[in-house]
Amino acid sequence: DTAVSQTPKYLVTQMGNDKSIKCEQNLGHDTMYWYKQDSKKFLKIMFSYNNKELIINETVPNRFSPKSPDKAHLNLHINSLELGDSAVYFCASSPTGGHSYEQYFGPGTRLTVT
Amino acid sequence: EDKVVQSPLSLVVHEGDTVTLNCSYEVTNFRSLLWYKQEKKAPTFLFMLTSSGIEKKSGRLSSILDKKELFSILNITATQTGDSAVYLCAVPIYNQGGKLIFGQGTELSVKP
């Protein structure tokens, strides 16, 4: 059983296109995240949702729009793709409350914009 | 600004060597520090440290936190080729939804 899953695993597309990445977790967690990992392997938070509510938006361009239809799903839609959007995008989830901030990561989606 | 810095950025050792990876942080409202191992895919959780001076151990890996000096170390003894990975240190920002601030990572390569 996969705890955090993402689709697709690879995405190759041209500049200007619009694409979506989907994420699902079956851990019963309340909080989900999107991270971007650049070519230098640096992981940076983009968004966080708690129970379908946006709680973190880290100065990401408006072309990126997350959507959470329910607390087990967090999707990322990207409009007008640019070369600089090429990266690996990771979805993660964590339980809320208490002092536990361990986050479980999905396998990543490698996006290549040509 | 909250910051996490890891050193070294890369390390090449031979099987059987012992390595120490470093992570320093400057974070307001510090509560915990996490270590992850990233091979080809997703980061996988290793340790969460909340108390200063208490070592967490799992097999050949161990980690300790020093809240006074604001750093943590990850030790790997008797390294194996399977330990080759990027090791990531992260600190959750408690009052900002638990978002993780990551260091740059240490890329460890263990040669046979």
Side-chain angles (χ1 to χ4, degrees):
Chain A
D1 283 345
T2 305
V4 183
S5 59
Q6 292 179 231
T7 53
K9 290 193 175 148
Y10 300 95
L11 191 49
V12 181
T13 188
Q14 291 185 328
M15 282 176 59
N17 285 347
D18 303 339
K19 290 292 177 187
S20 291
I21 308 171
K22 294 186 175 182
C23 177
E24 177 181 0
Q25 54 96 3
N26 62 8
L27 297 166
H29 290 166
D30 289 334
T31 306
M32 295 183 73
Y33 308 82
W34 277 112
Y35 288 88
K36 179 181 179 181
Q37 188 170 45
D38 61 25
S39 56
K40 293 184 180 177
K41 302 286 187 184
F42 188 60
L43 260 167
K44 191 163 183 208
I45 183 79
M46 297 175 70
F47 299 103
S48 170
Y49 269 76
N50 178 269
N51 270 323
K52 303 193 293 175
E53 184 184 342
L54 178 69
I55 54 173
I56 297 174
N57 182 342
E58 286 286 304
T59 59
V60 176
N62 291 338
R63 299 181 296 103
F64 290 80
S65 52
K67 279 202 178 130
S68 182
D70 55 61
K71 74 174 194 177
H73 295 85
L74 180 62
N75 303 323
L76 183 66
H77 187 76
I78 315 170
N79 288 326
S80 304
L81 278 154
E82 300 178 358
L83 291 176
D85 298 332
S86 295
V88 181
Y89 292 84
F90 287 100
C91 176
S93 74
S94 71
T96 51
H99 296 293
S100 172
Y101 291 95
E102 178 183 337
Q103 293 182 17
Y104 297 84
F105 284 79
T109 295
R110 183 175 293 276
L111 171 65
T112 303
V113 182
T114 61
Chain B
E1 187 184 342
D2 299 316
K3 192 166 61 172
V4 177
V5 177
Q6 291 184 245
S7 64
L9 294 183
S10 65
L11 196 51
V12 180
V13 300
H14 287 96
E15 273 193 315
D17 289 348
T18 293
V19 297
T20 298
L21 310 183
N22 303 293
C23 175
S24 63
Y25 60 90
E26 290 177 31
V27 170
T28 53
N29 271 321
F30 177 85
R31 295 291 181 102
S32 62
L33 182 145
L34 292 83
W35 283 97
Y36 285 86
K37 176 182 181 181
Q38 185 176 23
E39 296 173 87
K40 302 246 180 196
K41 294 188 176 178
T44 52
F45 174 77
L46 293 175
F47 299 112
M48 182 167 73
L49 302 149
T50 56
S51 300
S52 202
I54 298 179
E55 186 183 54
K56 289 269 179 110
K57 200 169 168 66
S58 176
R60 296 175 295 100
L61 276 68
S62 63
S63 185
I64 198 158
L65 175 66
D66 186 328
K67 286 164 92 169
K68 185 179 173 189
E69 299 297 329
L70 309 182
F71 76 91
S72 173
I73 58 171
L74 176 68
N75 277 322
I76 309 174
T77 58
T79 51
Q80 301 171 358
T81 55
D83 295 326
S84 296
V86 175
Y87 290 84
L88 297 163
C89 172
V91 176
I93 306 303
Y94 176 65
N95 60 353
Q96 293 184 39
K99 72 176 188 183
L100 291 176
I101 302 293
F102 281 89
Q104 320 93 302
T106 293
E107 185 166 11
L108 174 66
S109 178
V110 182
K111 304 290 186 191

